Amino acid sequence: MQKIYIFTGKGGVGKSSIAAAHAVKSAEEGKHTLLMSTDMAHNLGDIFEKKLAKEPENVLPNLDVYEIDPEYVMQNDFSFIMEYLGKLLSENVMNKTAKAQTEKRKSDSVQPLQGSLQELGMMPGMEELFSLLKILDIYRSGKYDRIIVDCAPTGETLSLLKFPELLSWYMEKLFPIGKVGVKVLAPVSKAVFKVEMPNRYAMNDIERMYLKLAELEELLKDRDTTCVRIVTTPEKMVVEETKRNYMYLNLYNFNADGIYINRVLPQEIGNAFFDRWLEIQQEYIAQMKECFAAMPVYEIPWYDEELKGERAIRRIVEDVLAQANVFEYRVITEREKFIQTQEGYRLEVFLPGADKEDIDLYQSAADLIVRSGNFKRNIPLPNILRKYTVSGAKFVDGTLQINFTL
C-alpha cells in the first residue's frame, strides 16, 4: 500500500534536510520513493547538488526527486482556467501590470506571455494550491511505494487545505446551473460589464479542480495512508508556533505522528559561550516532550557542516534514523481532539487510568493546562478558540471532555 509522509513546520527549521534523510533511508530499504517539494522556496536540488527538471528525476537507486513547477502544472493541467484568467484581466490592467517590465523585456528579447503565472502573481496561494494537487496525481499513478513531501510552512498549507470547504458553496451554486448561466450571461457580461464569463471548458476545469481538491483533502486525512511530521527547533518563537500548528492539525483531523527537533547543540560542546544556550535548548526540548507526550520525538544534532550533498544527509540517517522505525504508521489515539458542536467546540483529552478526583483543569494565557497526579499536559489553544470560554468539563471512559462556548 502506498504511503504519504508530509514534513512541515515553520520556515527555515530544516524541513528539506530531514525529509531528504527520510527519502534516502526509504530508498535504502528498497522502497521506490519519491521526494517532492511543494514549497515555492525549492532547495532539494541544492541538497542533492543536482539541477532538477520539471518532472521527477532519479538521483539515487530507488529515489526520484521532484521540485514542482506550479506554472508548468497550471498550463498543462488547467489550461482553460489559465486562458480564462488571462482574458478576465482587462487590457488596461494588463498594461499597468506589465508597463514597468516592458523595456526590460524588450532589452532581454523576451516576449510577454499573456495569462502567465508571473502576470497572475496578484493571486496569492495559486502556486501552492496547484503544487498540492500534483500530490494526488502522483498518488493515483501508483508508481511509488512512498511519497515524501517537503511541504510549505504549516500555516500556508493548512489554509490551502481548507479550500474545498470554501469552494463547495460556489460549486453548489454554479453546477449545473452555472454551465447554463455561462451561455446566457456571457454576451451580456462582456458587453455591459466588460468582463469575460468562463467558457464551458474553463467551467469543466474549475469543476475538475474542485473535485480534485476534495479528493486530495480526503486522501491527506486518511490515517491509513497519510501522516504529518512536524519539524521544529528549540527556540521560543518556533516552539510556540509548533504547538499551535499541532493543535490545528488536530482540529482539522490530520494524523500528526512525529516531532523532529532540529539543530540541538551537543552537550559536550566545551565552550562557556554556549552554556546558557544549552540550558535554553534543554528547557524547550523538555517542554515539547511534555506537550507531545503521545508522539515519538526525535532530536537531530546541530552539525559542524552545512547539510548539503548526499554524504551530509546520510549523517542524519546514521545518527538519528538508522535505529528508529520511522516509517511505521502510527495512528495517535492519545492525542488532543477538537470536535465542533452546535454550541461551539469540545476538546477531548485522553487520560488513561486517571482518577476523576485527581484531575485539575485551568487556563494559563493561551494554553489550557490539564493535571492528573504526576501527569501534566499543556494544550495550546488555536486562535479560533481564544474567543471562546470553558463552559464545562466531564470525565467519561478515560477521556476528559472540555466544552467551549461563546
Side-chain angles (χ1 to χ4, degrees), residues 46-62:
D46 297 328
I47 288 175
F48 287 96
E49 299 180 305
K50 188 167 185 177
K51 185 174 178 59
L52 301 175
K54 295 182 184 294
E55 297 291 344
E57 189 164 337
N58 183 255
V59 295
L60 292 171
N62 292 319

Side-chain angles (χ1 to χ4, degrees), residues 104-117:
K104 184 178 186 302
R105 283 173 174 163
K106 288 181 178 178
S107 63
D108 294 342
S109 299
V110 177
Q111 296 299 316
L113 179 62
Q114 184 177 9
S116 73
L117 184 62

Side-chain angles (χ1 to χ4, degrees), residues 201-332:
Y201 300 108
M203 293 293 283
N204 287 338
D205 266 7
I206 293 170
E207 184 177 23
R208 183 162 58 93
M209 182 180 70
Y210 166 70
L211 293 174
K212 287 184 71 172
L213 271 172
E215 187 178 347
L216 173 66
E217 183 182 42
E218 184 178 341
L219 174 67
L220 298 183
K221 288 185 177 182
D222 181 354
R223 293 173 175 270
D224 293 326
T225 303
T226 305
C227 62
V228 181
R229 274 81 189 279
I230 306 174
V231 182
T232 184
T233 56
E235 305 167 39
K236 181 176 177 58
M237 291 181 64
V238 183
V239 169
E240 292 303 316
E241 180 167 326
T242 299
K243 292 194 294 184
R244 286 193 297 271
N245 288 336
Y246 172 64
M247 289 302 103
Y248 274 109
L249 287 168
N250 284 339
L251 184 63
Y252 299 131
N253 201 31
F254 294 100
N255 184 36
D257 75 341
I259 300 289
Y260 294 78
I261 306 176
N262 196 19
R263 298 175 189 150
V264 178
L265 290 168
Q267 291 294 316
E268 64 280 3
I269 197 166
N271 188 319
F273 176 82
F274 290 99
D275 288 348
R276 180 54 185 152
W277 279 110
L278 287 168
E279 292 177 11
I280 291 171
Q281 285 203 345
Q282 290 307 308
E283 176 184 336
Y284 288 124
I285 290 172
Q287 187 180 127
M288 282 190 281
K289 287 182 176 179
E290 183 179 272
C291 282
F292 310 120
M295 295 192 297
V297 178
Y298 304 92
E299 297 181 31
I300 293 92
W302 197 327
Y303 289 103
D304 56 357
E305 64 175 333
E306 184 181 10
L307 290 178
K308 187 175 73 170
E310 180 190 345
R311 185 192 63 80
I313 292 300
R314 286 187 184 278
R315 292 186 68 179
I316 300 178
V317 178
E318 295 166 2
D319 295 345
V320 182
L321 308 182
Q323 304 304 318
N325 191 2
V326 292
F327 295 110
E328 176 187 1
Y329 252 59
R330 309 175 187 90
V331 177
I332 306 299

